[in-house]
């Protein structure tokens, strides 16, 4: 069973490891999303009345509620879109068809996407756990610099 | 051994019957051509036997069930267009196919065979149509499959591309594999295939060895300055099976063992000087057109 899962996950990895859309979304998610959230501590200082201050976003135990809420939006914008792309691009490139002609069964194909979905959800959860734990404002700077660098690097080598 | 047995398969798209109770047996080692005009159900047939489309009724068996559900691992196929990941290069695309089939093939040799070796590191989206088609042929050969299926492999190619693909197909045909090929190129089918099935509107009109479908009669074209006299002369000949007046010449059909040089001599003796004389064997193309237009019935 583990070999079967490894076979499916490795196949998905081989399909999408050089895909620009997937790489860009993963970069945005892992680099800029935490930057936005961590920026809340310093940038958003005034909050509506029921909340005492923006500090509640970053304090235990309320950190889990607020970061979880923000995180769910980030996941649906970035990773949700990415998962839709991973499935629909295979239909539009007709590679779903070709995969089945090559030998996969419909069940194999369905499971390969389902397992990727669970892995992606696991990755998002781990990242959010780590991020909510790291309260440091310096995180903002590091993430921003990393992301800008990546954006510039990909832009200067691209055919326009 | 029958590689593929199709038994009474039917498929409807809405009210239109794409396939109507099709039955076929394909023997191991044969090169089977599926011919038919556009929309005759060739691609539908291949889609059904490859598990892409579901048949409404009937069933099919691959390799007499020797491999069970895993039969597609023993088949190399392209359907309609070459389908690959456009952002990956040839090596990476072939690697994915190897991964799915769980085999390691000599991709070097395959890219050599299809002449893509110097472009193996280019992305698929940068390929010309001919190169895409050739990569698809290389992909079908991965894992040394027992059966190869090609769906109009030269569709949309320029003469150069057609010549390239044709030479590759001839090489593959020489490898002794079972090949199933849907095609428009009748002269190719005639040259490569051992068996032919002719479809029209989802119905099987004829099938069997290529030699059996083509009649052995010889067609002779005759022309003279005085066509009236020539027609009169041809009518009187006892060995002429049929004749037809064409635009610039007269076409007569004679038996295969006929010494047709005799016609020339007899015409000259009657005072008719021929200015055109050509004998040719019946081509699959004429047979195909006659069968699909309903002019010729199948025994």
């Amino acid at each position: 069973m583990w070999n079967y899962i490894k076979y499916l996950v490795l196949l998905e990895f081989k399909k999408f490891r050089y895909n620009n859309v997937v790489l860009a979304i993963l970069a945005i998610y892992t680099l800029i999303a935490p930057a936005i959230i961590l920026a809340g501590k310093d940038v958003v200082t005034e909050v509506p009345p029921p909340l005492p201050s923006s500090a509640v976003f970053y304090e235990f135990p309320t950190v889990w509620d607020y970061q979880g809420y923000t995180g769910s939006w980030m996941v649906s914008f970035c990773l949700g879109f990415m998962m839709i792309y991973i499935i629909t691009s295979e239909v539009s490139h007709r590679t779903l068809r070709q995969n089945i002609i090559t030998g996969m069964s419909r069940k194999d194909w369905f499971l390969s996407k389902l397992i990727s979905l669970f892995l992606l959800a696991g990755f998002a959860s781990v990242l959010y756990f780590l991020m909510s734990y790291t309260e440091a404002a310096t995180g903002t700077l590091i993430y921003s610099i990393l992301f800008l660098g990546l954006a510039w690097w990909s832009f200067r080598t691209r055919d326009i | 051994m029958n590689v593929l047995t199709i038994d009474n398969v039917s498929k409807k798209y809405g009210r239109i019957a794409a396939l109507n109770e099709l039955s076929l047996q394909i023997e191991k080692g044969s090169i089977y051509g599926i011919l038919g005009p556009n929309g005759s159900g060739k691609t539908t047939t291949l889609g059904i036997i490859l598990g892409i489309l579901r048949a409404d009724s009937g069933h099919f068996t691959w390799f007499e069930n020797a491999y069970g559900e895993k039969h597609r691992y023993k088949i190399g196929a392209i359907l309609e267009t070459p389908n690959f990941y456009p952002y990956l290069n040839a090596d990476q695309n072939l690697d994915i196919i190897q991964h799915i089939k769980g085999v390691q093939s000599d991709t070097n040799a395959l890219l050599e065979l299809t002449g893509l070796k110097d472009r193996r590191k280019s992305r698929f989206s940068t390929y010309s149509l001919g190169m895409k088609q050739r990569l698809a042929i290389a992909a079908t050969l991965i894992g040394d499959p027992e059966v190869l299926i090609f769906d109009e492999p030269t569709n949309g190619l320029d003469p150069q591309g057609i010549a390239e693909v044709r030479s590759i197909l001839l090489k593959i045909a020489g490898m002794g594999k079972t090949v199933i090929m849907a095609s428009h190129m009748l002269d190719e089918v005639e040259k490569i295939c051992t068996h032919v099935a002719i479809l029209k509107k989802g119905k099987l009109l004829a099938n069997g060895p290529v030699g059996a479908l083509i009649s052995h009669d010889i067609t002779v074209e005759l022309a003279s300055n005085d066509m009236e006299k020539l027609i009169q002369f041809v009518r009187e000949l006892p060995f002429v099976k049929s004749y037809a007046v064409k635009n610039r010449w007269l076409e007569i059909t004679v038996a295969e063992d006929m010494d047709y040089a005799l016609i020339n001599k007899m015409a000259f003796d009657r005072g008719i000087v021929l200015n055109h004389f050509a004998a040719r064997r019946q081509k699959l193309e004429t047979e195909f057109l006659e069968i699909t237009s309903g002019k010729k019935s199948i025994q």
Side-chain angles (χ1 to χ4, degrees), chain A residues 7 10-11 14-19 85 90 93-95 97-106 108, chain B residues 50-54 72-73 75 77 79-81 83-88 92 95-97 99-101:
Chain A
Y7 162 82
L10 202 58
L11 178 63
K14 281 181 174 175
K15 283 177 186 174
F16 289 102
R17 65 183 154 166
Y18 297 117
N19 185 295
Y85 174 80
E90 295 240 34
H93 294 146
R94 291 173 154 247
T95 44
R97 204 170 219 253
Q98 192 60 45
N99 286 167
I100 287 173
I101 291 172
T102 308
M104 292 179 90
S105 68
R106 287 173 193 228
D108 291 343
Chain B
L50 287 170
I52 292 295
L53 305 171
R54 297 265 188 238
R72 280 199 301 278
Y73 290 96
I75 301 167
L79 207 59
E80 288 179 299
T81 47
N83 304 323
F84 292 97
Y85 296 92
Y87 46 86
L88 297 180
Q92 292 157 351
D95 185 43
I96 285 174
I97 290 166
H99 185 96
I100 292 176
K101 292 207 183 231

Side-chain angles (χ1 to χ4, degrees), chain B residues 40-114:
Chain B
S40 57
K42 302 186 295 282
T43 303
T44 306
T45 311
L46 297 182
I48 287 171
I49 61 178
L50 287 170
I52 292 295
L53 305 171
R54 297 265 188 238
D56 293 338
S57 62
H59 47 89
F60 59 91
T61 318
W62 276 106
F63 306 110
E64 295 179 346
N65 266 331
Y67 302 110
E69 287 293 297
K70 298 271 180 191
H71 59 257
R72 280 199 301 278
Y73 290 96
K74 302 287 175 189
I75 301 167
I78 36 172
L79 207 59
E80 288 179 299
T81 47
N83 304 323
F84 292 97
Y85 296 92
Y87 46 86
L88 297 180
N89 64 33
D91 276 343
Q92 292 157 351
N93 269 306
L94 293 184
D95 185 43
I96 285 174
I97 290 166
Q98 289 186 341
H99 185 96
I100 292 176
K101 292 207 183 231
V103 292
Q104 280 298 318
S105 278
D106 188 359
T107 49
N108 262 332
L110 292 180
L111 291 170
E112 186 91 60
L113 173 79
T114 49

Side-chain angles (χ1 to χ4, degrees), chain B residues 10-287:
Chain B
S10 298
K11 170 86 179 168
K12 276 185 178 172
Y13 294 121
R15 278 184 299 143
I16 295 139
L19 270 189
N20 201 345
E21 298 190 342
L22 178 75
S23 298
L24 269 185
Q25 274 92 40
I26 294 176
E27 269 174 46
K28 193 182 167 80
S30 61
I31 297 173
Y32 215 101
I34 299 177
L35 290 175
N38 285 328
S40 57
K42 302 186 295 282
T43 303
T44 306
T45 311
L46 297 182
I48 287 171
I49 61 178
L50 287 170
I52 292 295
L53 305 171
R54 297 265 188 238
D56 293 338
S57 62
H59 47 89
F60 59 91
T61 318
W62 276 106
F63 306 110
E64 295 179 346
N65 266 331
Y67 302 110
E69 287 293 297
K70 298 271 180 191
H71 59 257
R72 280 199 301 278
Y73 290 96
K74 302 287 175 189
I75 301 167
I78 36 172
L79 207 59
E80 288 179 299
T81 47
N83 304 323
F84 292 97
Y85 296 92
Y87 46 86
L88 297 180
N89 64 33
D91 276 343
Q92 292 157 351
N93 269 306
L94 293 184
D95 185 43
I96 285 174
I97 290 166
Q98 289 186 341
H99 185 96
I100 292 176
K101 292 207 183 231
V103 292
Q104 280 298 318
S105 278
D106 188 359
T107 49
N108 262 332
L110 292 180
L111 291 170
E112 186 91 60
L113 173 79
T114 49
L116 285 171
K117 216 170 174 187
D118 48 335
R119 288 295 300 277
R120 63 192 301 172
K121 296 291 179 201
S122 310
R123 277 188 296 157
F124 178 71
S125 56
T126 65
Y127 283 14
S128 69
L129 188 59
M131 296 168 75
K132 287 178 179 174
Q133 204 67 262
R134 280 182 282 147
L135 181 64
I137 291 173
T140 59
L141 290 168
I142 281 179
D144 200 25
E146 292 177 28
V147 179
L148 292 167
I149 297 177
F150 299 114
D151 186 9
E152 287 167 19
T154 56
N155 213 3
L157 296 184
D158 58 3
Q160 169 109 37
I162 291 176
E164 284 166 356
V165 169
R166 180 186 302 174
S167 72
I168 295 167
L169 286 181
L170 279 169
K171 278 184 209 166
I172 293 169
M175 290 177 187
K177 293 183 186 300
T178 311
V179 180
I180 303 171
M181 187 163 118
S183 186
H184 285 131
M185 318 175 296
L186 293 157
D187 54 330
E188 238 74 82
V189 169
E190 196 175 351
K191 274 178 206 145
I192 300 173
C193 294
T194 57
H195 292 70
V196 184
I198 296 178
L199 291 179
K200 191 194 177 188
K201 288 184 178 169
K203 275 202 165 128
L204 185 65
L205 291 183
N207 71 323
V210 173
L213 276 186
I214 301 174
S215 72
H216 295 285
D217 291 347
I218 288 170
T219 306
V220 185
E221 293 167 4
L222 301 170
S224 162
N225 289 334
D226 190 352
M227 287 302 272
E228 301 279 313
K229 212 172 162 187
L230 185 64
I231 293 168
Q232 190 62 36
F233 160 70
V234 163
R235 265 194 199 145
E236 287 165 17
L237 291 177
F239 48 77
V240 172
K241 286 183 173 176
S242 67
Y243 74 96
V245 184
K246 298 279 162 159
N247 206 5
R248 280 159 47 220
W249 57 67
L250 199 65
E251 244 181 42
I252 62 173
T253 329
V254 295
E256 188 182 20
D257 50 358
M258 167 80 198
D259 178 17
Y260 43 79
L262 199 63
I263 302 167
N264 196 3
K265 190 174 178 294
M266 287 170 77
F268 193 75
D269 290 347
R270 285 277 298 269
I272 305 164
V273 183
L274 300 178
N275 58 21
H276 176 78
F277 184 91
R280 57 181 162 81
R281 294 197 160 270
Q282 283 277 61
K283 285 264 191 148
L284 185 59
E285 186 169 339
T286 22
E287 295 289 320

Side-chain angles (χ1 to χ4, degrees), chain A residues 6-158:
Chain A
K6 201 176 128 193
Y7 162 82
L8 294 179
V9 171
L10 202 58
L11 178 63
E12 289 301 303
F13 175 70
K14 281 181 174 175
K15 283 177 186 174
F16 289 102
R17 65 183 154 166
Y18 297 117
N19 185 295
N20 289 334
V21 177
V22 168
L23 290 182
I25 293 176
L26 273 182
I28 289 171
Y29 182 75
T30 49
L31 301 175
I32 211 156
I36 291 168
I37 286 165
L38 289 170
K41 197 176 182 183
D42 298 326
V43 180
V44 187
T45 43
E46 290 194 9
V47 288
L51 299 170
S53 78
S54 66
V56 289
F57 300 150
Y58 303 94
E59 276 169 0
F60 288 106
T62 44
V63 63
W64 303 121
D65 300 346
Y66 291 110
Q67 299 293 20
Y69 173 78
T70 329
S72 73
W73 282 104
M74 287 296 172
V75 166
S76 55
F77 278 130
C78 295
L79 300 188
F81 177 76
M82 182 176 138
M83 205 58 224
I84 290 170
Y85 174 80
I86 283 178
I87 295 171
T88 53
S89 77
E90 295 240 34
V91 178
S92 59
H93 294 146
R94 291 173 154 247
T95 44
L96 156 59
R97 204 170 219 253
Q98 192 60 45
N99 286 167
I100 287 173
I101 291 172
T102 308
M104 292 179 90
S105 68
R106 287 173 193 228
K107 193 184 88 185
D108 291 343
W109 203 87
F110 187 80
L111 283 179
S112 75
K113 295 300 174 193
L114 196 66
I115 292 169
S116 319
L117 179 67
F118 283 135
L119 274 183
L120 209 60
F123 162 73
S125 307
V126 169
L127 193 76
Y128 257 86
F129 180 80
L130 290 177
M131 219 182 51
S132 304
Y133 233 93
T134 349
E135 279 189 59
T138 47
T140 318
L141 201 63
I142 292 168
Y143 273 123
S144 307
I145 291 168
L146 271 176
F147 179 73
L148 278 177
L150 190 84
W152 169 243
W153 176 79
S154 75
F155 179 68
R156 60 183 272 275
T157 55
R158 186 77 47 230

